[in-house]
Amino acid sequence: MSAAAPAAFAALFQPCTLRSVTIPNRVWMAPMCQYSAAPDGPDAGVAQDWHFTHYAARATGGTGLIIQEATAVSPEGRISPYDLGIWNDAQVRALRRITGFVKSQGAVPGIQIAHAGRKASTERPWKGGRPVGPEAHGWTPAAPSAVPFREGDPVPHALTVEEIREITGQFADAARRALEAGYEVLEVHGAHGYLIGEFLSPQSNRRTDAYGGSFENRTRLALEVVDAVRAVWPEELPLFFRISATDWLDGEGWTADETVRLAGLLREHGVDLLDVSTGGLAPHADIPVGPGYQVPFAARVKAETALPAAAVGLITEPEQAEKILANGEADAILLGRELLRDPYWARRAAAELGGELRMPVQYHRSW
């Protein structure tokens, strides 16, 4: 990673180069599902006008890297029937419209590819988010073990080794399609209690074969997916991995120590940056939510490994974000809900901190 820029620039507005891709600043958009695609038929998982408008607004707003929401590698990998997908060519064609516009605004288009595991087949959040069956476009979810996410949820199908290999291949196919669609940054979703995170945690992974038990076995799928993706994702383009650094289960689940250990392995396997979040595996976890509450986990990865890390989670103010970077706690800031509230957050931050951003020529008279 390089960060050459005039000293007068705020850290938040220094460019960031990963492999051959230079991201113009450190204000990055975290993946956030919109649950706004068609649930079935020829348009299932296909990006709509809502998705274009949503991402276009953040690109014109000055966000340096826009990581598209968790995009399913298969129909069964969707969190809800209304999620975006990247398992067919129709989906790729629709996504090219988004990546083309994002690039035209000087931003970098990224995409998170994902499989929801046992947390799949749920209703949209504003409809309650509970599991749905075939009568509501749903299906039986799959997981490392037949352990439901919460009491009363459907028991997921425990994946066979053959099925695990098939899913690994689906991640590789999704990476190929992401390249065809014009993305320049690819992120593998291993966080928030979805499939790869379910394999990592002993709370959800009760297997007794090569994919369960020891740290080496529980991390096997994560590394196999990364290897499969890196084999088809161009050498010159960066690969991210999103992780929940802790399950917040007092050492009984996935831990921060294991995250640091895995970070080193991910770097050896070709990952360029760790997107550090937490939680999502257990509904009863006691999470001490507060401003910047996940930053220490990114800071630890950055301090104890050679892998760059990005911080996310209740980072809302420009001075707060700038301090995190200036203190060396993270290499970039990922904004989630704050960018939902304010697509032009980066422009406000630049005005407050003295940064410089590209302005669409149509808006020059406002500056």
Side-chain angles (χ1 to χ4, degrees):
M1 174 177 292
S2 65
F9 275 25
L12 200 58
F13 295 98
Q14 293 183 6
C16 170
T17 298
L18 294 161
R19 297 193 185 235
S20 70
V21 176
T22 297
I23 303 166
N25 59 55
R26 311 295 177 111
V27 181
W28 298 355
M29 183 176 182
M32 291 173 287
C33 289
Q34 297 298 293
Y35 308 101
S36 297
D40 53 23
D43 287 335
V46 174
Q48 304 296 314
D49 286 347
W50 173 264
H51 301 95
F52 176 84
T53 303
H54 173 64
Y55 293 112
R58 278 77 196 167
T60 58
T63 306
L65 169 65
I66 294 173
I67 306 179
Q68 183 176 295
E69 62 201 82
T71 304
V73 301
S74 70
E76 299 78 20
R78 293 172 292 175
I79 300 168
S80 85
Y82 301 90
D83 285 9
L84 287 183
I86 193 163
W87 64 80
N88 66 40
D89 293 339
Q91 295 160 345
V92 170
R93 288 192 292 271
L95 293 172
R96 286 195 190 114
R97 181 184 176 213
I98 295 174
T99 61
F101 185 84
V102 168
K103 290 176 187 178
S104 77
Q105 300 306 301
V108 174
I111 184 172
Q112 182 186 77
I113 54 174
H115 191 297
R118 68 179 185 176
K119 294 176 75 175
S121 189
T122 60
E123 184 53 277
R124 292 162 289 185
W126 54 87
K127 294 280 190 176
R130 299 298 298 180
V132 295
E135 73 288 348
H137 313 289
W139 58 93
T140 300
S145 305
V147 180
F149 173 59
R150 59 167 66 88
E151 187 176 350
D153 281 1
V155 176
H157 162 66
L159 291 164
T160 66
V161 171
E162 182 178 350
E163 289 169 332
I164 291 170
R165 290 172 180 160
E166 181 180 355
I167 289 172
T168 301
Q170 291 169 346
F171 272 93
D173 289 342
R176 290 191 192 95
R177 290 194 172 96
L179 182 64
E180 293 173 12
Y183 293 96
E184 297 178 342
V185 171
L186 185 72
E187 178 170 276
V188 172
H189 197 356
H192 302 156
Y194 298 119
L195 185 67
I196 293 176
E198 291 165 17
F199 271 87
L200 294 177
S201 177
Q203 281 290 311
S204 47
N205 184 347
R206 312 288 176 82
R207 301 177 73 96
T208 57
D209 62 4
Y211 288 93
S214 68
F215 171 87
E216 289 77 13
N217 286 355
R218 287 182 285 113
T219 58
R220 190 178 306 278
L221 177 63
L223 296 177
E224 288 180 347
V225 167
V226 165
D227 286 346
V229 166
R230 189 76 264 184
V232 300
W233 188 244
E235 182 70 21
E236 67 270 18
L237 297 181
L239 176 63
F240 293 5
F241 189 94
R242 190 168 213 192
I243 195 164
S244 285
T246 175
D247 290 335
W248 297 107
L249 294 175
D250 295 326
E252 295 180 0
W254 180 258
T255 68
D257 287 343
E258 290 176 311
T259 291
V260 171
R261 187 176 173 188
L262 178 59
L265 294 173
L266 290 170
R267 181 175 179 272
E268 292 174 5
H269 285 253
V271 169
D272 299 289
L273 180 139
L274 196 65
D275 174 355
V276 185
S277 188
T278 66
L281 183 101
H284 60 277
D286 185 13
I287 303 176
V289 176
Y293 71 105
Q294 296 176 151
V295 172
F297 297 98
R300 185 173 170 193
V301 168
K302 187 169 167 54
E304 298 183 28
T305 77
L307 187 64
V312 64
L314 283 182
I315 301 170
T316 58
E317 297 302 321
E319 287 189 7
Q320 176 194 15
E322 176 69 13
K323 183 177 179 181
I324 292 166
L325 295 180
N327 288 346
E329 296 174 281
D331 295 283
I333 302 298
L334 283 154
L335 299 177
R337 291 174 177 84
E338 194 61 24
L339 274 179
L340 295 183
R341 289 186 282 267
D342 181 6
Y344 287 80
W345 189 94
R347 299 208 178 281
R348 175 166 67 88
E352 291 184 17
L353 299 173
E356 293 184 9
L357 287 176
R358 172 176 169 171
M359 172 69 73
V361 294
Q362 297 90 337
Y363 293 173
H364 278 184
R365 59 189 151 180
S366 71
W367 197 244

